[in-house]
């Protein structure tokens, strides 16, 4: 039995680590969920200042290989002979199986998990095969994905374009679905007819780092996700981090992990800063307005909470309490 933190997804990664734009498709397979009631996990303690958030570095940073790519006009071309697949299924419901987990045993099993990601580098002969490489090696690739949790395809010419990226996932027999956050409008399509999203690419977020996360929510989880980079970031940054969820689980302090498991975790999905000196009745009115106008855009169970992170005047939309560890539904 494998255990995975919420940060771990079976993922196909098919490009170098520098991304702009980074795009993804997701596919479906799980169908059942168990939701928990809203509950506060905040400790009653004096308000403290918000800790500084520092972007993490990578344990291993592969060198930029400077392989030639295509122009935007070339890599964004779709294949008009293929059918429009924009009418995708909803992202499947998250399958929760997190009760009675022995944290010590979970860490022991996680420490024995194979390394992630598994790297497959294309040879000249592999590239000459095009999409046939993936159809002929479908079973071995999917077994490796299940074993390692992620595959990094390097040096493949096929996935240098929207057209080729679709040929890859079709050859592997992966059916696309809507993004878990599709209803929020945070992600737009790079090529809707090819079920290819563009990763969050908002100028307003350039001063923020996006923390380690999985392409899932407490309600919805895609069985697989594929990411591809068509060109190097043009304004700096854009580095794509892949986290080994099993290694994170194994290396966490056991006492801290046990505390997180016992108390569960809640994730803030949206912040709104208002003047902290506003009268309580006005703050409650804003809270109700946000609950009605914003929360329905997210397919999540959310609670509006003021100042839970210690910042005066901050209104946060916070997910339900869920376990930080979940059993893998297959392995």
């Amino acid at each position: 039995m494998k255990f995975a933190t919420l940060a771990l997804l079976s993922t196909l990664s098919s490009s170098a680590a520098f991304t702009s734009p980074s795009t993804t498709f997701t596919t479906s397979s799980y169908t059942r969920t168990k939701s928990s009631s809203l509950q506060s996990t905040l400790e009653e303690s004096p308000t403290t200042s918000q800790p500084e958030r520092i972007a993490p570095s990578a344990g291993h940073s592969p060198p930029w290989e400077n392989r030639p790519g295509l122009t935007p006009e070339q890599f964004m071309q779709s294949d008009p002979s293929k059918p429009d697949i924009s009418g995708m299924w909803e992202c499947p419901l998250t399958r929760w199986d997190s009760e009675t987990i022995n944290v010590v045993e979970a860490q022991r099993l996680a420490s024995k998990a194979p390394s992630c990601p598994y790297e497959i580098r294309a040879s000249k002969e592999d590239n000459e095969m095009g999409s046939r490489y993936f159809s002929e090696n479908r079973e071995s690739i999917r077994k490796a994905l299940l074993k390692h949790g992620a595959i990094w395809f390097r040096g493949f010419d096929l996935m240098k374009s929207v057209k080729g990226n679709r040929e890859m996932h079709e050859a592997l027999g992966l059916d696309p679905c809507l993004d878990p956050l599709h209803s929020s409008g945070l992600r737009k399509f790079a090529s809707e007819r090819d079920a290819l999203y563009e990763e969050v690419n908002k100028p307003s977020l350039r001063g923020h780092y996006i923390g380690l996360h999985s392409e899932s929510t407490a309600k919805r989880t895609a069985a697989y996700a594929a990411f591809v980079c068509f060109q190097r970031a043009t304004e700096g940054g854009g580095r794509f981090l892949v986290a080994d969820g099993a290694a994170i689980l194994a290396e966490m302090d056991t006492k801290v992990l046990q505390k997180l498991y016992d108390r569960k975790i809640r994730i803030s999905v949206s912040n709104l800063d208002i003047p902290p000196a506003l009268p309580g009745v006005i703050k409650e009115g804003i809270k109700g307005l946000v609950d009605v106008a914003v929360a329905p855009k997210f397919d999540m169970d959310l609670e509006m909470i003021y100042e839970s992170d210690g910042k005066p005047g901050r209104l946060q939309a916070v997910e339900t309490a869920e376990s930080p560890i979940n059993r893998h539904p297959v392995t």
Side-chain angles (χ1 to χ4, degrees):
M1 176 71 71
K2 286 185 181 177
F3 295 86
T5 66
L6 292 181
L8 181 63
L9 267 181
S10 294
T11 304
L12 299 175
S13 181
S14 53
S15 70
F18 298 92
T19 62
S20 177
S22 171
T23 51
T24 174
F25 76 86
T26 52
T27 64
S28 63
S29 75
Y30 309 151
T31 57
R32 187 60 189 162
T33 185
K34 180 180 66 179
S35 62
S36 67
S37 60
L38 284 171
Q39 56 181 343
S40 175
T41 60
L42 301 176
E43 293 182 337
E44 295 183 3
S45 60
T47 300
T48 57
S49 59
Q50 186 178 12
E52 181 183 3
R53 301 185 70 193
I54 302 174
S57 59
H60 171 63
S61 299
W64 177 253
E65 296 189 352
N66 201 32
R67 291 191 299 270
L70 304 177
T71 66
E73 293 75 17
Q74 292 172 322
F75 65 65
M76 288 305 300
Q77 286 184 1
S78 179
D79 184 351
S81 68
K82 286 186 173 290
D84 186 329
I85 55 174
S86 59
M88 293 171 280
W89 293 97
E90 285 279 358
C91 184
L93 297 175
T94 301
R95 175 182 285 183
W96 282 99
D97 183 14
S98 58
E99 299 297 327
T100 63
I101 289 178
N102 183 311
V103 169
V104 175
E105 178 65 9
Q107 289 191 293
R108 186 188 70 82
L109 293 173
S111 67
K112 296 182 177 181
S115 61
C116 165
Y118 179 70
E119 183 176 319
I120 298 178
R121 184 179 287 273
S123 65
K124 178 182 177 182
E125 292 73 23
D126 295 336
N127 274 323
E128 289 175 351
M129 293 176 68
S131 62
R132 193 161 51 85
Y133 170 86
F134 293 93
S135 58
E136 293 185 5
N137 293 281
R138 177 191 304 176
E139 294 306 316
S140 62
I141 289 173
R142 295 188 65 151
K143 285 181 180 178
L145 178 58
L146 195 61
K147 178 180 179 180
H148 293 269
I151 297 177
W152 184 12
F153 293 108
R154 305 191 67 181
F156 282 84
D157 292 335
L158 181 67
M159 290 88 81
K160 286 184 177 181
S161 67
V162 169
K163 172 180 175 292
N165 190 67
R166 175 171 172 175
E167 290 181 18
M168 178 271 294
H169 74 75
E170 288 181 337
L172 288 175
L174 303 177
D175 299 322
C177 72
L178 293 176
D179 187 275
L181 295 177
H182 177 80
S183 60
S184 70
L186 288 174
R187 293 193 178 109
K188 63 180 182 178
F189 281 104
S191 180
E192 186 171 3
R193 72 180 310 276
D194 296 295
L196 192 65
Y197 284 93
E198 180 178 356
E199 277 287 22
V200 176
N201 190 23
K202 297 180 180 295
S204 61
L205 296 177
R206 70 174 58 203
H208 302 269
Y209 77 88
I210 299 176
L212 298 177
H213 65 283
S214 57
E215 298 300 319
S216 67
T217 68
K219 269 195 171 183
R220 297 192 179 275
T221 300
Y224 304 94
F227 301 85
V228 60
C229 172
F230 294 132
Q231 69 177 34
R232 189 175 185 176
T234 56
E235 299 181 21
R239 184 174 292 274
F240 187 89
L241 299 177
V242 178
D244 187 334
I248 292 173
L249 177 61
E251 295 171 12
M252 283 189 68
D253 181 275
T254 302
K255 291 182 179 179
V256 173
L257 183 60
Q258 185 68 60
K259 183 177 182 180
L260 291 173
Y261 179 71
D262 292 339
R263 295 181 58 226
K264 300 187 177 182
I265 60 173
R266 303 186 70 180
I267 299 174
S268 174
V269 300
S270 179
N271 298 329
L272 176 63
D273 293 324
I274 65 174
L278 285 177
V281 64
I282 295 179
K283 292 172 72 174
E284 287 303 307
I286 294 174
K287 179 179 176 181
L289 181 62
V290 172
D291 195 17
V292 172
V294 177
K297 294 183 179 180
F298 295 87
D299 187 12
M300 305 175 185
D301 293 323
L302 298 174
E303 182 182 10
M304 303 300 151
I305 305 176
Y306 273 111
E307 303 174 356
S308 64
D309 65 351
K311 184 170 183 178
R314 172 163 288 179
L315 176 62
Q316 293 180 284
V318 185
E319 277 194 275
T320 56
E322 295 290 358
S323 172
I325 313 173
N326 194 25
R327 292 182 180 88
H328 195 285
V330 178
T331 62

